[in-house]
Amino acid sequence: MKLANAQLLQSQAYINGLWQNGSKTYNVYNPADGKMIAKVAYCGSKETQAAIMAAHKALKIWQAKTAAERGMILKKWADLMMKNQEDLAHIMVCEQGKPLSEAKGEVVYAAGFLEWFAEEGKRCYGDIIPTHDMSKRLMVIKQPIGVIAAITPWNFPLAMITRKIAPALAVGCTAIVKPSEETPLSANALAVLGEQAGIPKGVLNIVSGDAPAIGDAIMQSSAVRKLSFTGSTSTGKLLMSKAANSVKKLSLELGGNAPFIIFEDADIDAAVEGAIAAKYRNTGQTCICVNRFYIHNDIYDSFIAKYKEKVLQLKIGQGFEDNVQQGPLINQAALDKVERLVGDALQQGAQLVCGGKASVLGGLYYQPTILSEVQPQMAIVHEEIFGPVSVCMRFSDEEEVLQKANDTAAGLAAYFYTQNIARSWRVSEQLEYGLIGLNTGVISSVNAPFGGVKESGLGREGGSQGIDEYIEIKYICSNV
Ligand code: ADP
């Protein structure tokens, strides 16, 4: 991998401000061509315990700074990310496979969390409470929760880390980050820039390798007071059960099963544009990607015809090629899952509108696909696809579609298109989801709270709410 700033390419673990070896190494591959791109330090329990100790020790020096001083460092870090945008995007394309334009966009998004929480940290106000007794005065202060752990996935190798550590560090917490073993190089590059920005040693630590062993070391430690996890629902549930041991505070951002409803009064061209963005971004590999399209009978055929035209124009290829919009899937298991779900749906009578098989490019590429006349009992409706497949179903009235859209244990994002104002309110309120896209397919924002209901998770990230996840509230009652 050739970078303008070669320093950014680090393959060791980052513990207590030092780059260190693990017990062995593991290989990181480029999903676009299957070639090995790095041998990375393989960490387990021992390295994680060292990282926890370092983070614990660093609390004192980090909390001795004012919020404004910490904020200055976070802002400098954001600036450094933007100065190194090309290189950071390059690393992401190589280890994750997303198109370069999306990777550059992610750098902006990820740096945005550092910038946003650099400011929010300064506004972590307490309260003075009217007293119940004139001999007493009551107040509330907000304090950092302590050492936190962040376990993150591969689909947004930078943004999922900064979304967690920016609020944590802003309020005075220190952190251990375990990035996905598919994408450790982006996390390491971020740490290099953090150090250059002035993050003191031990405040940020990065370990990857043996995920269950690292997870256990984190969950068993009473020094780690909080876990913020983004990943699969099954791993999230496992970690939630392990958190009981030391009663850790938890934020969980788990799987989704997003519906996208197009009512008969929708602007169909706008819905097509929103659908492309909400379905095919990152090759369908985001937890807020559409899993199920519900299209009103009256406009079903015209929507499918226009949508097909756009889907067929999506350019697949290696992320560095010009105008590429669809990259490879992350690994063989992801490709196998998409093939299994599509095969099952077709066998049960779904109709193939376009795509439906692996791309001629071979490897981990799958054709952008549309399935029509899908039925509710098919596995593809219930399982998270995490690939470039649009699953289209018909509906005929609002109550019916709301019941279908809510018929899932997931509750992360939902989208709908209508031009009726009363319906906009009604449906927004009745969808059992944490995030709603109303007449838009692009909803994520540094400024807004992101998170799900039901089995999609706990807590909110980003926005002014994102900071609450990393503070404890202390009530002080004073005799006067
Ligand atoms: P995905 O299927 O999207 O990779 P995972 O939940 O397996 O979702 O992965 C999300 C993150 O959780 C990754 O960093 C992964 O290494 C980590 N992880 C997986 N299993 C465990 C575990 N038992 N303990 C701690 N972390 C885990």
Side-chain angles (χ1 to χ4, degrees):
M1 202 187 300
K2 280 229 161 61
L3 302 178
N5 179 359
Q7 268 187 323
L8 292 181
L9 206 55
Q10 282 289 350
S11 56
Q12 289 176 296
Y14 187 62
I15 302 170
N16 202 22
L18 297 170
W19 292 99
Q20 305 189 12
N21 289 327
S23 56
K24 52 183 180 175
T25 60
Y26 69 94
N27 297 341
V28 178
Y29 298 96
N30 183 337
D33 56 17
K35 291 199 178 124
M36 204 253 284
I37 49 176
K39 284 186 177 297
V40 172
Y42 186 87
C43 299
S45 180
K46 189 172 122 231
E47 294 79 9
T48 308
Q49 279 163 9
I52 294 170
M53 267 178 62
H56 192 251
K57 201 160 158 228
L59 281 173
K60 207 167 170 186
I61 167 170
W62 192 233
Q63 290 177 4
K65 293 186 187 297
T66 63
E69 286 166 342
R70 289 191 296 265
M72 294 278 279
I73 295 175
L74 296 182
K75 272 196 187 164
K76 193 165 170 202
W77 197 357
D79 290 345
L80 286 170
M81 285 186 73
M82 291 312 299
K83 283 199 182 106
N84 290 275
Q85 184 184 17
E86 288 287 336
D87 278 348
L88 291 172
H90 191 102
I91 295 172
M92 263 191 280
V93 173
C94 289
E95 65 179 355
Q96 200 270 345
K98 65 178 65 185
L100 185 62
S101 57
E102 286 194 29
K104 283 189 190 168
E106 183 175 341
V107 178
V108 178
Y109 183 48
F113 286 110
L114 293 174
E115 213 268 334
W116 173 265
F117 285 109
E119 292 299 325
E120 286 297 297
K122 291 185 270 187
R123 306 189 224 300
C124 202
Y125 306 132
D127 285 313
I128 303 287
I129 301 170
T131 189
H132 63 288
D133 172 347
M134 288 321 291
S135 70
K136 293 199 166 113
R137 295 295 180 269
L138 320 181
M139 72 177 163
V140 163
I141 59 170
K142 292 181 178 172
Q143 293 184 302
I145 190 162
V147 177
I148 69 106
I151 299 183
T152 56
W154 47 263
N155 57 349
F156 291 95
L158 288 176
M160 293 304 98
I161 297 179
T162 57
R163 192 158 79 174
K164 297 177 191 308
I165 63 172
L169 268 51
V171 295
C173 297
T174 59
I176 296 114
V177 176
K178 195 208 84 61
S180 165
E181 284 65 37
E182 314 276 1
T183 57
L185 301 175
S186 296
N188 284 352
L190 191 63
V192 170
L193 297 174
E195 189 174 293
Q196 284 174 16
I199 298 286
K201 68 176 188 172
V203 169
L204 171 69
N205 304 273
I206 302 194
V207 289
S208 63
D210 184 344
I214 295 170
D216 282 352
I218 289 170
M219 300 321 281
Q220 283 160 15
S221 166
S222 53
V224 179
R225 295 312 317 145
K226 152 106 197 178
L227 168 71
S228 178
F229 170 80
T230 299
S232 63
T233 306
S234 58
T235 305
K237 286 182 177 177
L238 177 74
L239 293 171
M240 190 173 184
S241 70
K242 292 184 179 180
N245 182 42
S246 56
V247 192
K248 274 189 221 323
K249 191 160 165 161
L250 282 179
S251 302
L252 302 173
E253 205 264 273
L254 310 178
N257 183 357
F260 189 112
I261 306 167
I262 307 153
F263 286 99
E264 68 278 19
D265 52 24
D267 173 336
I268 295 187
D269 292 328
V272 167
E273 196 185 316
I276 293 281
K279 174 69 243 185
Y280 292 98
R281 190 160 67 107
N282 208 2
T283 319
Q285 302 174 110
T286 88
C287 46
I288 59 170
C289 275
V290 182
N291 219 58
R292 305 168 280 157
F293 285 90
Y294 293 104
I295 306 151
H296 193 277
N297 254 324
D298 292 355
I299 52 155
Y300 190 88
D301 294 333
S302 63
F303 174 81
I304 298 267
K306 288 183 172 186
Y307 190 45
K308 176 183 176 184
E309 202 178 303
K310 292 281 182 202
V311 170
L312 286 174
Q313 285 167 15
L314 291 171
K315 186 176 170 199
I316 322 180
Q318 211 257 7
F320 293 117
E321 281 171 35
D322 285 345
N323 305 320
V324 156
Q325 294 150 298
Q326 295 287 282
L329 293 176
I330 188 71
N331 55 31
Q332 190 61 44
L335 182 63
D336 291 347
K337 182 177 189 188
V338 170
E339 288 187 325
R340 169 176 64 80
L341 290 173
V342 171
D344 172 75
L346 290 174
Q347 209 205 346
Q348 290 194 59
Q351 286 173 20
L352 188 62
V353 177
C354 63
K357 52 182 190 293
S359 157
V360 288
L361 293 173
L364 299 172
Y365 291 97
Y366 194 84
Q367 293 179 343
T369 295
I370 303 176
L371 298 178
S372 177
E373 311 302 345
V374 174
Q375 298 304 318
Q377 80 284 357
M378 296 178 186
I380 203 161
V381 175
H382 304 283
E383 291 186 38
E384 201 176 13
I385 306 166
F386 241 63
V389 182
S390 295
V391 165
C392 299
M393 293 173 278
R394 294 175 185 270
F395 75 93
S396 52
D397 80 67
E398 187 180 304
E399 207 177 316
E400 169 208 351
V401 78
L402 276 168
Q403 189 273 325
K404 286 179 170 163
N406 288 335
D407 184 20
T408 169
L412 191 55
Y415 306 85
F416 69 101
Y417 275 70
T418 179
Q419 297 198 74
N420 178 318
I421 294 174
R423 174 175 272 162
S424 301
W425 282 101
R426 236 177 11 245
V427 174
S428 293
E429 286 169 4
Q430 287 180 42
L431 282 168
E432 296 165 359
Y433 290 82
L435 313 165
I436 304 289
L438 167 55
N439 291 327
T440 177
V442 184
I443 55 178
S444 299
S445 164
V446 165
N447 311 12
F450 188 104
V453 302
K454 298 199 273 186
E455 293 187 17
S456 282
L458 296 173
R460 293 294 180 270
E461 300 192 291
S464 59
Q465 295 84 350
I467 220 153
D468 298 343
E469 304 290 329
Y470 299 95
I471 53 172
E472 288 287 13
I473 286 177
K474 184 178 281 174
Y475 160 51
I476 302 169
C477 179
S478 166
N479 206 10
V480 290

